[in-house]
Amino acid sequence: MSDLTFNKIAGAVLATGLAIVGLRELSAGVFTPEHPAKPGYLVEVAEEGGEGGAAADTLPDWGTVLPTADIAAGEAAFAKCKSCHVVDASNANGTGPGLHAVVGRKPGAHPGFAYSASMTEFAGKAPVWDYDHLYEFLKAPQKYIPGTKMTFVGLKKSDERVNIIAYLKSQGGTLPVPAPDPSRAPGAAAAAAPAAEGAAAPTAEGQPTTTEAAPPASTSGGPAGQAPGQPGAPAPAPAPAAAPAKK
């Protein structure tokens, strides 16, 4: 190969490389990419109970729901927790503390596990893991106890949480099942609302709606064709008697 041929090939390669670099710089100047300030995507998950909005999650009546809960379904749902927790009698610590007999146990008190500061602070306010605390914590751990080491997203379905709590109760739980509470029955709050607002009962049809007494009717009357006389007015003079007819 002659020197002239080599120079032609090398020149063509260089010209191609310069053209590619030039086009890349030109396209970067025309189409400037905008990078987000924080990478990742925020996925909004709607809560149960309404389309496009979250409904208030009322606490269950444990005396009613626990005796009828599906413990087998709770055990199956606990499979989501097995990567971090054990619930058998060994009660060994893993990524999370052992959960045997957790129902009724003091929070942040399982031996050998290094709890977060937020869980330790929570333990100072809550004497035991009762049913209400477990129900709210399993719904959204990071929202209920901000800063906890439990990064699990939570269980949004109410019946799933009830079944898991019933399963945990069956695994050495020491907290007794409370008596049914009528104030937590479905619809109890709505039924009590009118009484709390002090709503007045409607009056019977045809009955007067005022308690103001009607003024007494006047017993005195005026002359014929006139209105009744006013109180205190002098009585009208009697009409003269007709003269007897002549026989």
Side-chain angles (χ1 to χ4, degrees):
M1 181 183 294
S2 65
D3 293 341
L4 183 58
T5 303
F6 175 79
N7 290 339
K8 289 180 180 179
I9 296 174
V13 172
L14 290 174
T16 303
L18 289 174
I20 293 173
V21 172
L23 288 174
R24 187 179 65 178
E25 293 297 327
L26 180 62
S27 62
V30 175
F31 305 102
T32 304
E34 295 183 4
H35 300 284
K38 184 178 181 179
Y41 299 91
L42 177 62
V43 179
E44 297 289 348
V45 179
E47 299 286 347
E48 293 180 284
E51 181 178 353
D57 189 10
T58 57
L59 293 171
D61 176 14
W62 296 108
T64 301
V65 300
L66 281 179
T68 59
D70 190 341
I71 295 179
E75 182 178 7
F78 188 78
K80 303 175 183 179
C81 314
K82 285 185 176 180
S83 60
C84 298
H85 300 278
V86 299
V87 74
D88 56 39
S90 69
N91 221 3
N93 292 322
T95 305
L99 296 183
H100 186 75
V102 68
V103 180
R105 188 172 76 193
K106 183 172 179 60
H110 187 56
F113 188 79
Y115 290 94
S116 63
S118 58
M119 181 61 74
T120 303
E121 181 181 357
F122 174 75
K125 302 175 183 177
V128 296
W129 275 119
D130 60 17
Y131 300 115
D132 286 349
H133 285 315
L134 286 170
Y135 183 81
E136 295 289 357
F137 183 67
L138 289 174
K139 178 182 179 180
Q142 288 290 333
K143 289 184 179 180
Y144 195 61
I145 304 179
T148 179
K149 290 183 177 180
M150 187 168 172
T151 57
F152 179 58
V153 66
L155 303 171
K156 303 306 176 187
K157 295 182 178 179
S158 175
D159 58 345
E160 189 174 21
R161 278 176 279 159
V162 169
N163 291 336
I164 282 188
I165 291 172
Y167 171 65
L168 292 174
K169 171 72 170 65
S170 70
Q171 300 298 308
T174 58
L175 193 66
V177 177
D181 184 357
S183 65
R184 289 195 178 190
E197 294 174 0
T203 58
E205 185 177 356
Q207 297 296 323
T209 57
T210 176
T211 57
E212 186 175 332
S218 175
T219 56
S220 59
Q226 297 184 15
Q230 298 297 322
K246 294 181 179 180
K247 295 182 180 179

